Amino acid sequence: RFELLKGTNNIRPSILKLIYTKKTISYNGCMTQLFTIHFFGGIEIFILAGMAYDRYVAICKPLHYTVIMSRRICAVIMAASCAGGFMHSFGQFILAVFLPYCGPNEIDHYFCDIYPLLKLACTDTSKIGLLVLANSGSVSLVTFVVLLTSYDVILYTVKSYSRESRLKALSTCSWHITVVVLFFAPVVFIYIRPQSTFPEDKVFALFYTIIAPMLNPLIYTLRNMEMKNAMKKLWSQIMGRRRNRLKDISASYHRAY
């Protein structure tokens, strides 16, 4: 739980917050946190959609891949993702920053999110809740539908491939599907519903704010063939040293007896 202190900039250092039972954040810090989380979350959502398009082109139009997915197109996708994330987070920020906060100041969450903040407002927030649903809900739902549609087309296309080519194509998409499920499942649960909060929201929020970003480097790294070969080589060396050590112990035992 965070205590929201409006009209002050006194925030305890982030490391000290972890050891205090009562944690506080200023009003300005809370609004900044709201904007930042939704900004980077929105960017990730749109980048995942762009990556789905990349997989679609690679599998369904392999001969035209280098032409379609040029550096200029990749730069456009990145710029559009940043612009989309900014528009989404700015909408959330505007909805929250002008609300009157004059009652309770305790947020039942581990960061400042829009639905917990609506509970603190001293006014009827039903219409604001519908706008939040239209903003966050539409962004996550539309993007998720686009992702499902792209993979439906990909699966339909690979049906005509040979078994080896089909497995190769599906292995190319497996890492992206893993990231999509880890990120979108909790986002859809939290934001595609009318204004309400549940105790489970904090658990689901952990997935798309901490767990999914933490696992992303590992998931993407395991897809790299050079990294896979290096890990296999390292594992073989470790197991070889272990076998040699067991042989030495066994030989020493037999010499002793």
Side-chain angles (χ1 to χ4, degrees):
R1 291 175 181 266
F2 276 89
E3 183 181 356
L4 178 65
L5 301 179
K6 188 170 182 179
T8 178
N9 291 319
N10 295 325
I11 310 174
R12 294 193 184 110
S14 299
I15 296 178
L16 292 180
K17 284 183 180 181
L18 298 176
I19 61 176
Y20 282 103
T21 304
K22 186 176 182 180
K23 304 176 178 65
T24 60
I25 185 171
S26 71
Y27 173 78
N28 293 335
C30 184
M31 294 299 112
T32 302
Q33 189 180 72
L34 172 68
F35 179 86
T36 304
I37 288 178
H38 281 272
F39 176 60
F40 288 108
I43 290 177
E44 183 167 2
I45 286 176
F46 293 119
I47 285 180
L48 287 174
M51 293 168 68
Y53 177 70
D54 174 80
R55 297 299 87 203
Y56 162 76
V57 175
I59 294 173
C60 300
K61 300 177 186 264
L63 299 179
H64 299 87
Y65 179 81
T66 55
V67 177
I68 297 176
M69 295 303 297
S70 62
R71 288 184 177 272
R72 185 179 66 84
I73 295 299
C74 292
V76 169
I77 291 175
M78 285 299 302
S81 299
C82 293
F86 177 82
M87 293 174 62
H88 162 67
S89 60
F90 186 73
Q92 300 287 75
F93 175 78
I94 290 297
L95 292 176
V97 75
F98 290 113
L99 289 175
Y101 300 103
C102 53
N105 62 346
E106 190 174 280
I107 305 173
D108 188 15
H109 213 293
Y110 70 93
F111 68 92
C112 291
D113 202 4
I114 185 67
Y115 281 145
L117 284 174
L118 292 182
K119 294 179 66 176
L120 306 184
C122 305
T123 185
D124 181 18
T125 59
S126 56
K127 294 182 180 180
I128 302 294
L130 293 176
L131 292 176
V132 172
L133 178 62
N135 184 357
S136 296
S138 62
V139 168
S140 54
L141 181 60
V142 170
T143 309
F144 189 59
V145 171
V146 169
L147 290 169
L148 291 179
T149 303
S150 67
Y151 277 108
D152 184 58
V153 175
I154 289 173
L155 290 175
Y156 179 80
T157 302
V158 299
K159 285 171 62 177
S160 59
Y161 289 5
S162 64
R163 184 176 182 275
E164 183 179 352
S165 299
R166 192 184 308 125
L167 291 175
K168 185 177 180 180
L170 293 177
S171 66
T172 303
C173 300
S174 60
W175 58 275
H176 185 250
I177 294 175
T178 303
V179 173
V180 167
V181 171
L182 287 174
F183 186 82
F184 273 94
V187 168
V188 169
F189 173 81
I190 292 175
Y191 294 108
I192 304 183
R193 67 170 189 243
Q195 177 186 345
S196 58
T197 56
F198 299 119
E200 295 82 5
D201 287 354
K202 288 175 283 188
V203 178
F204 280 95
L206 281 173
F207 279 90
Y208 70 86
T209 57
I210 297 177
I211 296 178
M214 181 178 64
L215 293 178
N216 280 351
L218 177 62
I219 295 171
Y220 295 142
T221 298
L222 291 177
R223 180 181 175 271
N224 188 291
M225 188 57 65
E226 293 181 359
M227 182 60 69
K228 286 182 180 179
N229 294 334
M231 292 178 66
K232 288 179 181 178
K233 185 177 180 180
L234 178 62
W235 179 252
S236 299
Q237 291 176 352
I238 294 174
M239 294 305 295
R241 292 171 184 171
R242 184 177 180 183
R243 284 193 295 268
N244 293 334
R245 191 178 300 113
L246 291 175
K247 288 179 182 179
D248 293 340
I249 294 174
S250 178
S252 301
Y253 177 81
H254 287 299
R255 284 196 299 270
Y257 292 94

